Amino acid sequence: MNESLGNPRPMSALGRVLAAPAMDEFVHRLRKGEPPEDQQRAIDELLPEGKRAFEFGVRFATLTSLSAGVAGFGLLSNSGAVVIGAMLLAPLMTPIAAGAAALVLAENRRFVRALGLVTVGTVVAIAVGWFVAWMSATSFTEIGEFPTEVESRTFPGLLDLGVAITAGAAAGYILPRRSVTSALPGVGISVALVPPLTVVGIVARSGLWDEARNAFLLFLTNLAAITFAVAVMLLLAGFRPHQDAGRRLARRMSITTLAVLAVAAPLTIHTFSVIEAQRLDQAVREAAEEWDDEVRIVDLSTAITSSGATVELSVSGNRSIQPVWLLAQTIHERYEGPVELRLRFQTEELFVSVAR
Amino acid sequence: MKRVALASLLLIVAACAGANEPSDAAVIEVFGPYVGDEAEAFTDYLASAERPGLDILYVGSLDFKEDLAKRVESGEPPDLAVTSDLRNIEELAAAGNLVELPSVVAERATSPLLESADFDFGAVALPYRLRLNSLVWYRSDIFARNGWQPPTSLDELLTLTRNIAATGRHAPWCAGFNDLSEPGWPASNWIEDLLLRRGGTEVYDAWLDNELPYTDPIMFEVFDEFKQLLLEPSHNDGALIADLTRANHREATESLLENNPDCVMVKASSAAAAWLGNPIKNNRRQRVFALPGASVDDPPPLTVSVESIVSLVRSPEAEEVLTVLSSQPAGSGWERIGGFVSTDAFSNPAGDFAEFIGPVHRVDVSESMTSEDRQSFYATLQEGVRVGFDDLDFELELLENVRIFHEEESE
């Protein structure tokens, strides 16, 4: 950064890196020429200005509420089809894409407006989720009691980040090209924005704050990844700041990248947790077979904490139960870590009756 | 047609060990009754005896007593086991299933309690931890709000119980006499404590020696007092008296942790600090008083369980582990959860529960009974509570007949 940009504040180490000449050069090297006018217009029209802005805001809030409502009922009734319907209704992608475009074009006012709309959408969707859960008198003490459509959105992993980045790139490709807007619903479905927010409201109503935080993390993942990917695609399409703001652009893009990395960290931890949980699951199944190859696993749930693994296992068998300590020991050997096992054993009995 | 039939059976087992043992290391298995936080605390203590090439695997089971018996019977005993069942230790030793402690460990394995209990162990049990059973955990905040004081005599305890019940806001007692391992033992602790107070040490010792008939008037007095304290419908948190036999002991006592608890007192041992929180160190709302003596002048006597480590398989590694453990401060693993009482607490009162240690103490009677006597005692208690001990004379006579039958059978 130099004085001609009119910022006399001392720079941090990070600022110096972001504003380094090499970074500027990289950004300028990307410049291949102006994008076609119709593409620029398509991006400009994402967020209407003036009088139409109010109408747009009302329409946005209404559609977000309705979408969250549909998502809420779909999630609680465990209907994937209904949840997909809600994704198609959801208008959140527009302000996020507009925000990414404003980032690339260095249009601060538009960026703030886009951010404001995203915030409104976020609050509305969470509130509707809470309301739907209240209205349907849904309150559980454990996340496992919720329908799988809800539960699956409380454990985001790195794969979700991958989906969000590729779908965001698709959005960045589609948005300036009116000829391929028919593909936009696909993007909406790939990176569902409203359902995770609705899940935040639903599980928060049951006081499950950890799960609510995870669902919100999934939303933040989508938000950061889409912003990043759309911005990159617009840059590649030739979009640049209208005025002499190329250097600020470099810094903005770097901040977006950092945001993506920031959400990637907890997602990495989550992903490793998933792998560890699968390893434990496998160890339990193999140990159960070694323990008694005639038992059938009816239900299995596991949890891993800092003090070890907890295994809740229900099995059924047609002969008397084998020593349970032996099963715990076998799981311990295979999992190679402390295990607490809660076993429920059901005896299967055969009844034959005839009436002639 | 294939059906899933019969009620399901819930068993809980924990297995813990030191981390990352190399596959060629010798593994010493310690089998015990602890699960959850207690298993973690015990494992921390065991870890002090691990070294490269020697690992310790702790396996815990809530069905510990039955599992241990089966393992011994089937020739698959663990290397070491931790138990408070004195009679079981004696029986295992008599049957040649226990290995004598190394001499250096035997010298350290002394406990005045075990000596006074008159058990013929030989040097096979390393006392590890005491459980003080005669404690009452109460909600000090609710007591203070209502001007209630911890009682100083059994009569005061009954008056306090009635006063609390009269307010209608809380039941005086939360109780659950069920337990996965041995249903009925929590009720037995009440009878033992009341008998030690009302009958004194001589009568209690006669019961310990299986010389006190259940038809003795003192037994009637004690069972009746238990009935008055606990089994009046307004005196406990059960909707029905029979609920007390169905409720799990630990879950029932945990209701004391709620902001607006159903009850204000539970009778539980010092080990309950693992789930009720250490009442001394953390200055929590749940605090402890010792079940008072019969009169104001009697210091509260204590019934105590002695948890000991025994060796079932002879090996140099098992001897090494015992030697190291006997030289370590056993409470080190329990600092986080509390509830540890050292085996020398009566000669050298210190630690979390030192203030409750008085001159009179006895080992837990039911843990000194033969398994047959204990089972019939527990079963009678469960059945008696279920029907509210409506015919106490008959129930005690039945219990006495069973005791005589077992006695004659063993002779």
Side-chain angles (χ1 to χ4, degrees):
Chain A
M1 188 179 288
N2 59 36
E3 287 180 359
S4 67
L5 287 173
N7 188 346
R9 282 176 299 174
M11 273 189 296
S12 63
L14 178 65
R16 282 195 294 277
V17 170
L18 300 181
M23 188 67 93
D24 289 350
E25 226 179 284
F26 169 73
V27 172
H28 284 286
R29 268 221 307 261
L30 282 174
R31 190 185 290 270
K32 289 179 183 167
E34 294 291 309
E37 201 174 307
D38 65 322
Q39 288 194 11
Q40 292 198 34
R41 208 163 43 243
I43 292 299
D44 287 344
E45 286 171 3
L46 282 173
L47 280 190
E49 299 275 347
K51 237 188 204 176
R52 285 172 54 219
F54 179 73
E55 284 170 32
F56 179 84
V58 171
R59 199 167 63 236
F60 173 80
T62 309
L63 269 178
T64 304
S65 312
L66 292 172
S67 165
V70 173
F73 288 114
L75 288 162
L76 288 177
S77 57
N78 208 26
S79 167
V82 175
V83 177
I84 290 172
M87 296 170 190
L88 294 173
L89 282 175
L92 257 174
M93 179 65 102
T94 308
I96 295 175
L103 196 75
V104 170
L105 300 171
E107 291 178 344
N108 288 345
R109 239 186 89 244
R110 185 178 286 193
F111 183 75
V112 170
R113 281 181 55 219
L115 197 65
L117 274 175
V118 172
T119 308
V120 168
T122 304
V123 172
V124 165
I126 292 175
V128 170
W130 182 291
F131 179 71
V132 168
W134 172 78
M135 214 165 69
S136 56
T138 302
S139 184
F140 296 117
T141 51
E142 284 180 25
I143 192 65
E145 296 169 4
F146 278 97
T148 48
E149 284 287 334
V150 175
E151 190 187 350
S152 64
R153 288 178 168 83
T154 58
F155 213 85
L158 275 180
L159 292 178
D160 293 299
L161 182 63
V163 170
I165 288 179
T166 45
Y173 179 77
I174 293 163
L175 286 170
R177 294 173 176 80
R178 292 174 200 267
S179 58
V180 284
T181 48
S182 58
L184 204 51
V187 174
I189 293 169
S190 306
V191 270
L193 291 157
V194 165
L197 290 173
T198 316
V199 168
V200 173
I202 289 173
V203 297
R205 152 118 179 96
S206 290
L208 299 170
W209 301 109
D210 283 350
E211 285 76 9
R213 191 193 59 211
N214 287 346
F216 195 66
L217 177 66
L218 178 58
F219 168 73
L220 284 183
T221 303
N222 292 343
L223 179 64
I226 292 169
T227 307
F228 171 77
V230 168
V232 169
M233 291 307 282
L234 291 179
L235 272 174
L236 291 175
F239 285 86
R240 293 294 178 278
H242 294 311
Q243 293 165 355
D244 178 28
R247 288 171 187 163
R248 270 180 285 171
L249 173 66
R251 190 154 42 133
R252 283 154 186 266
M253 284 306 293
S254 304
I255 289 168
T256 317
T257 310
L258 284 179
V260 173
L261 291 176
V263 293
L267 289 180
T268 307
I269 294 167
H270 274 238
T271 303
F272 279 115
S273 306
V274 170
I275 293 169
E276 188 66 359
Q278 283 169 347
R279 197 173 70 79
L280 173 62
D281 202 271
Q282 180 76 6
V284 174
R285 288 177 189 279
E286 288 173 2
E289 197 177 340
E290 187 184 324
W291 176 63
D292 182 348
D293 58 7
E294 288 189 16
V295 296
R296 194 168 54 85
I297 292 179
V298 179
D299 193 28
L300 168 63
S301 69
T302 56
I304 299 172
T305 63
S306 55
S307 62
T310 306
V311 176
E312 301 254 357
L313 178 64
S314 292
V315 297
S316 68
N318 52 17
R319 62 181 185 187
S320 61
I321 186 169
Q322 300 297 305
V324 184
W325 58 267
L326 195 57
L327 176 57
Q329 210 176 44
T330 312
I331 296 171
H332 176 270
E333 272 166 26
R334 289 182 176 272
Y335 175 63
E336 296 176 335
V339 173
E340 178 152 328
L341 167 68
R342 289 162 185 267
L343 179 75
R344 198 171 282 276
F345 186 86
Q346 297 172 329
T347 309
E348 286 176 0
E349 284 191 0
L350 178 69
F351 296 93
V352 178
S353 163
V354 173
R356 302 176 64 127
Chain B
M1 178 172 50
K2 203 170 191 185
R3 286 184 189 167
V4 175
L6 298 182
S8 60
L9 172 69
L10 176 66
L11 293 161
I12 304 179
V13 178
C16 310
N20 304 325
E21 60 258 29
S23 56
D24 57 347
V27 177
I28 291 296
E29 188 202 339
V30 183
F31 197 48
Y34 310 127
V35 297
D37 280 350
E38 288 192 295
E40 213 179 319
F42 186 57
T43 312
D44 286 349
Y45 166 57
L46 294 178
S48 62
E50 286 187 317
R51 61 166 169 77
L54 175 59
D55 290 306
I56 300 176
L57 170 68
Y58 171 73
V59 178
S61 167
L62 284 191
D63 237 359
F64 165 76
K65 284 184 185 173
E66 200 181 328
D67 281 344
L68 182 65
K70 283 182 186 164
R71 292 187 68 170
V72 170
E73 197 181 316
S74 64
E76 291 180 296
D79 297 290
L80 304 172
V82 56
T83 176
S84 57
D85 189 333
L86 302 175
R87 179 67 66 184
N88 190 227
I89 295 175
E90 194 177 51
E91 286 169 353
L92 284 170
N97 290 314
L98 295 186
V99 177
E100 284 207 359
L101 299 174
S103 56
V104 63
V105 179
E107 281 167 23
R108 295 172 187 152
T110 53
S111 166
L113 264 163
L114 287 185
E115 285 152 20
S116 68
D118 196 25
F119 273 87
D120 183 20
F121 289 152
V124 291
L126 170 65
Y128 152 67
R129 178 177 87 142
L130 302 183
R131 269 198 330 264
L132 309 183
N133 295 326
S134 317
L135 303 180
V136 175
W137 297 67
Y138 71 104
R139 277 291 289 267
S140 60
D141 53 336
I142 299 173
F143 264 53
R145 230 175 9 248
N146 290 278
W148 299 324
Q149 294 288 332
T152 55
S153 70
L154 281 180
D155 291 340
E156 275 184 31
L157 180 66
L158 184 58
T159 307
L160 173 67
T161 299
R162 286 175 175 154
N163 286 345
I164 295 169
T167 65
R169 286 193 295 273
H170 305 278
W173 298 98
C174 279
F177 300 141
N178 201 2
D179 185 81
L180 273 177
S181 58
E182 289 185 301
W185 71 259
S188 79
N189 278 0
W190 268 104
I191 301 298
E192 289 164 21
D193 270 318
L194 290 173
L195 190 91
L196 181 57
R197 282 155 177 76
R198 290 298 182 196
T201 50
E202 268 183 42
V203 172
Y204 190 89
D205 288 343
W207 191 19
L208 256 178
D209 295 337
N210 199 21
E211 286 167 2
L212 179 72
Y214 284 100
T215 45
D216 191 291
I218 188 71
M219 278 291 185
F220 186 94
E221 186 187 333
V222 162
F223 272 77
D224 190 54
E225 187 163 17
F226 168 65
K227 189 175 153 181
Q228 287 183 54
L229 277 166
L230 262 285
L231 303 188
E232 288 293 325
S234 62
H235 287 192
N236 63 69
D237 62 324
L240 300 165
I241 296 298
D243 286 346
L244 301 183
T245 61
R246 288 189 284 266
N248 174 276
H249 169 66
R250 176 164 169 169
E251 285 168 14
T253 55
E254 274 174 348
S255 53
L256 205 65
L257 296 170
E258 292 165 13
N259 279 335
N260 188 22
D262 294 335
C263 63
V264 291
M265 295 186 287
V266 296
K267 185 173 181 305
S269 77
S270 52
W275 59 91
L276 292 180
N278 189 331
I280 314 301
K281 281 190 178 166
N282 300 333
N283 197 23
R284 292 169 193 260
R285 340 182 253 200
Q286 54 277 7
R287 296 187 64 80
V288 170
F289 63 81
L291 194 74
S295 73
V296 182
D297 302 327
D298 296 335
L302 293 171
T303 57
V304 183
S305 298
V306 187
E307 294 172 354
S308 304
I309 301 174
V310 294
S311 174
L312 294 102
V313 177
R314 189 181 298 279
S315 73
E317 289 84 5
E319 287 189 3
E320 181 187 333
V321 169
L322 282 167
T323 307
V324 176
L325 290 180
S326 67
S327 67
Q328 299 289 321
S332 57
W334 298 78
E335 279 161 8
R336 184 177 58 80
I337 61 171
F340 184 84
V341 179
S342 164
T343 51
D344 65 353
F346 288 95
S347 53
N348 178 24
D352 296 345
F353 294 90
E355 63 177 290
F356 305 114
I357 290 177
V360 184
H361 46 267
R362 286 293 185 273
V363 291
D364 184 293
V365 169
S366 57
E367 287 179 329
S368 314
M369 292 176 178
T370 61
S371 54
E372 292 86 2
D373 274 340
R374 183 168 58 232
Q375 276 166 16
S376 53
F377 180 44
Y378 289 171
T380 305
L381 278 171
Q382 283 287 77
E383 180 57 20
V385 169
R386 197 180 66 77
V387 297
F389 280 113
D390 54 357
D391 190 350
L392 197 46
D393 276 323
F394 171 75
E395 278 139 2
L396 290 174
E397 201 175 320
L398 191 67
L399 199 51
E400 177 58 14
N401 287 339
V402 173
R403 188 187 72 82
I404 292 170
F405 173 75
H406 288 153
E407 197 173 39
E408 287 173 353
E409 210 178 35
S410 66
E411 281 167 7

